[in-house]
Amino acid sequence: MEQHTQQQLESFRNLARKIKSYHEAIGLLHWDLRTGAPKKGIPTRSETLGMLSTEAFKLQTSAEMKSYLDTLTNPAVLEQLEDIDRRQVEDCQKEYNRSQSVPPEKVQAYTVLTAKSETAWEDAKHNSDFAGFSPYLTDIVKLKQEFIDYWGVKDTRYDTLLDMYEPELTVEKVDAVFARLKARLVPLQEKINASANKPNTEFLNQLFDKDQQEKFSLFILGQMGYDFEAGRLDESVHPFATGLNPGDVRITTNYLQDDVTSAVFSSLHEGGHALYEQNIDDSLAGTLLAEGTSMGIHESQSRLWENMIGRSLPFWTRYYKDLQQHFPQLNEVELEDFYRAINRVESSLIRIEADELTYNLHIIIRYEIEKMLFNEGLEVKDLPETWNAKYKEYLGVVPPNDGVGVLQDVHWSGGDFGYFASYSLGNMYAAQILHTLRKEMPEFDAHIAEGNLIPIKEWLTDKIYRYGKSRTPSELIVAVTGEELNPDYLADYLEAKYAEIYKL
């Protein structure tokens, strides 16, 4: 490689590292905003976030970046680059092409708006006040529509948003996999509803000490290999994970006094996200590839740990006695009864508390509403009515108020339209990965029953975590499982699991 090209490459690396540093600072401020920042500081903090995000955006779309990309994307040069450099160049080129026409002041306005909106959402959710939150959401949707025009409309306007979270994902593809999944899951749900072998869940309706919930959550995170020297557990209204760098990946959970399972499974869920980012290879540190490759793959890890490991019988064969030590009121409850109770299938209002089967219906509802917002002209003011109608149609329940209805999720307050489909994609990816994992690790269940979770984490690190964003979702799932995304693995998994639980 000639000297000028080598200098361009080194300058490109330094610029990417600078952008990554901005992202880390933004991530830390955002984490603080959602974990207890003083309310009086929120307006100024929001402006600071807007300023830093705009500066990072300007670097990403600068003439300097363009000059480096012009040199490094030359096919003769690109083929000489090491894999990490080539991937980072390609990723930056895609981002540059998408964002170069977006005015920086729009980015700043959007960042300030969403920072304020997320705080307003917390109050609106608590008070079930959609009318008070609606102006924020209306402005977010309006700006998002403007961004779609800047980014370029794909097959539909909503396709543009899906691609932000799952590269190359389209409405056509999502519609197809959701239809294929529904064709298997709806009959399964009907069989479950008709079964006389319903689990008893009454013993879950007790008071559970918050401090003990926190201690048990910390214990389980340690068991799964979460590195507390590279992270921490905090409390927030809505659980989330923030990856600042592989040495600092923070998670939160939410403790419900009348539900011991909520914090346990949200800790497992966010812990799965964290294991992904804590175990990205050191060679990617400081690059824009030191993050998950897509939200679908990211969610596959959170859902794998939360459900396919965390709600399994082998898991509770090992950890149920530990749970009973923290909560003696469960001492008279048999393991089998507890296992069946935490895997009950029932229509419910809250997505993050939903069982593995109906969870996908919660996602389909949100996916369809988002399509209506961006492709079909649904207005923000009509969201509660549309939301409630779809919950009645798909799940047979109607929210008594907007706090447990349309306001229950944080995502829209942050402008994350196009994200929700990733959760069901994550379920599908997870089941497909689990199928391969069981084949390559025949002692999988035995490891879990012994509390030996580290070999599982190490297998996932070798196959998925270490690559960060250096492989596309499609490349990754094919490399791990030998085939593209296949929703039948999830249907097979759910049919087998619930046939045993409900004695179908």
Side-chain angles (χ1 to χ4, degrees):
M1 187 181 295
E2 63 180 46
Q3 185 176 3
H4 172 71
T5 303
Q6 186 62 49
Q7 289 173 342
Q8 290 284 90
L9 175 60
E10 190 57 40
S11 295
F12 166 77
R13 289 171 179 162
N14 289 335
L15 181 57
R17 197 172 297 118
K18 186 175 183 179
I19 294 169
K20 185 68 175 177
S21 296
Y22 269 101
H23 289 172
E24 179 166 342
I26 292 163
L28 182 58
L29 289 174
H30 197 263
W31 168 84
D32 180 66
L33 197 65
R34 291 173 61 185
T35 55
K39 281 198 171 185
K40 288 186 177 180
I42 287 170
T44 303
R45 171 63 55 80
S46 300
E47 296 293 338
T48 302
L49 279 166
M51 186 76 70
L52 291 175
S53 296
T54 304
E55 291 304 306
F57 175 81
K58 286 179 179 177
L59 293 174
Q60 188 83 57
T61 56
S62 63
E64 181 185 3
M65 175 65 81
K66 183 179 186 302
S67 71
Y68 301 147
L69 293 174
D70 286 346
T71 299
L72 299 172
T73 55
N74 182 303
V77 174
L78 202 59
E79 67 180 13
Q80 296 180 56
L81 298 180
E82 296 291 332
D83 187 57
I84 291 174
D85 287 321
R86 184 173 64 255
R87 293 288 184 166
Q88 185 165 226
V89 166
E90 291 170 343
D91 192 58
C92 285
Q93 183 69 68
K94 179 179 179 180
E95 185 59 39
Y96 180 87
N97 291 342
R98 177 164 55 201
S99 300
Q100 61 174 318
S101 61
V102 180
E105 61 269 20
K106 290 286 185 183
V107 175
Q108 184 161 352
Y110 176 78
T111 306
V112 172
L113 172 62
T114 52
K116 292 178 178 177
S117 172
E118 288 186 346
T119 303
W121 165 80
E122 290 189 14
D123 290 335
K125 172 183 166 71
H126 179 73
N127 297 316
S128 187
D129 179 17
F130 184 80
F133 180 65
S134 181
Y136 292 95
L137 195 54
T138 299
D139 288 345
I140 289 171
V141 171
K142 182 176 180 291
L143 271 174
K144 211 74 174 182
Q145 292 280 25
E146 292 182 31
F147 282 135
I148 291 171
D149 290 328
Y150 289 123
W151 292 326
V153 177
K154 294 185 178 292
D155 291 342
T156 73
R157 300 184 70 80
Y158 190 59
D159 281 287
T160 305
L161 299 180
L162 288 174
D163 184 67
M164 305 289 288
Y165 298 98
E166 196 71 16
E168 308 307 322
L169 189 65
T170 65
V171 166
E172 184 179 8
K173 290 178 182 177
V174 178
D175 285 349
V177 294
F178 278 174
R180 195 164 152 188
L181 195 61
K182 281 166 65 177
R184 298 273 301 272
L185 299 191
V186 170
L188 175 59
Q189 187 174 5
E190 290 172 351
K191 289 179 183 177
I192 290 171
N193 290 342
S195 171
N197 297 295
K198 300 279 196 302
N200 173 27
T201 63
E202 288 183 9
F203 55 82
L204 293 177
N205 300 322
Q206 304 183 58
L207 295 181
F208 297 91
D209 182 76
K210 177 183 170 181
D211 290 341
Q212 291 301 315
Q213 289 191 51
E214 182 179 10
K215 288 177 182 177
F216 187 76
S217 294
L218 290 167
F219 166 66
I220 289 298
L221 285 167
Q223 290 289 294
M224 63 192 287
Y226 180 74
D227 184 355
F228 284 98
E229 292 187 355
R232 51 185 289 156
L233 176 67
D234 292 276
E235 187 176 0
S236 65
V237 173
H238 192 107
F240 69 97
T242 295
L244 303 176
N245 62 65
D248 189 348
V249 186
R250 306 172 183 209
I251 63 175
T252 72
T253 191
N254 186 25
Y255 305 103
L256 303 179
Q257 195 172 6
D258 60 351
D259 183 0
V260 70
T261 63
S262 180
V264 172
F265 291 120
S266 67
S267 296
L268 281 161
H269 180 100
E270 303 306 336
H273 281 306
L275 289 186
Y276 191 169
E277 301 223 358
Q278 282 187 342
N279 291 284
I280 290 172
D281 194 81
D282 289 342
S283 63
L284 300 178
T287 75
L288 296 169
L289 304 176
E291 59 185 53
T293 187
S294 75
M295 287 317 305
I297 296 296
H298 233 308
E299 293 300 339
S300 78
Q301 297 313 295
S302 58
R303 303 293 287 173
L304 176 67
W305 282 98
E306 175 192 359
N307 292 324
M308 296 171 185
I309 295 173
R311 291 185 194 268
S312 71
L313 185 57
F315 184 87
W316 291 106
T317 299
R318 165 61 184 84
Y319 293 109
Y320 188 47
K321 288 191 184 305
D322 293 291
L323 186 71
Q324 288 174 318
Q325 287 176 6
H326 287 82
F327 305 103
Q329 60 266 52
L330 295 175
N331 284 346
E332 301 304 315
V333 180
E334 296 295 328
L335 168 62
E336 176 73 17
D337 293 331
F338 178 80
Y339 165 68
R340 295 187 71 222
I342 63 171
N343 284 291
R344 67 195 180 281
V345 172
E346 62 182 16
S347 295
S348 60
L349 293 170
I350 307 299
R351 173 185 64 85
I352 64 172
E353 312 295 350
D355 58 81
E356 289 181 83
L357 177 58
T358 62
Y359 185 93
N360 297 287
L361 298 178
H362 288 262
I363 296 305
I364 290 170
I365 288 169
R366 289 155 175 77
Y367 167 71
E368 292 184 354
I369 290 175
E370 289 187 348
K371 281 199 299 181
M372 293 170 71
L373 269 173
F374 289 93
N375 288 351
E376 301 167 28
L378 176 67
E379 294 186 32
V380 167
K381 68 180 177 61
D382 297 322
L383 277 174
E385 181 182 355
T386 304
W387 181 284
N388 293 351
K390 285 194 173 290
Y391 261 77
K392 184 175 182 180
E393 175 189 356
Y394 281 93
L395 290 162
V397 294
V398 178
N401 61 68
D402 291 334
V404 294
V406 71
L407 289 171
Q408 68 179 266
D409 296 300
V410 69
H411 303 64
W412 290 347
S413 71
D416 292 331
F417 293 98
Y419 185 136
F420 278 118
S422 301
Y423 287 107
S424 276
L425 289 173
N427 287 338
M428 297 178 213
Y429 282 133
Q432 191 165 330
I433 292 166
L434 178 66
H435 179 77
T436 300
L437 178 50
R438 285 185 179 280
K439 283 197 300 185
E440 296 190 4
M441 189 183 291
E443 63 277 29
F444 174 78
D445 286 331
H447 278 322
I448 296 173
E450 294 164 4
N452 188 18
L453 304 180
I454 301 305
I456 298 169
K457 188 202 87 168
E458 290 174 345
W459 187 92
L460 292 167
T461 296
D462 180 60
K463 301 289 186 179
I464 299 170
Y465 301 163
R466 66 190 177 104
Y467 293 106
K469 202 179 180 182
S470 67
R471 287 185 172 181
T472 67
S474 179
E475 288 172 339
L476 199 63
I477 198 67
V478 170
V480 174
T481 71
E483 61 180 302
E484 293 280 1
L485 177 64
N486 182 347
D488 290 339
Y489 288 106
L490 177 59
D492 291 344
Y493 160 79
L494 292 172
E495 286 172 352
K497 178 171 185 173
Y498 287 114
E500 185 268 327
I501 290 172
Y502 280 86
K503 309 186 191 313
L504 302 179

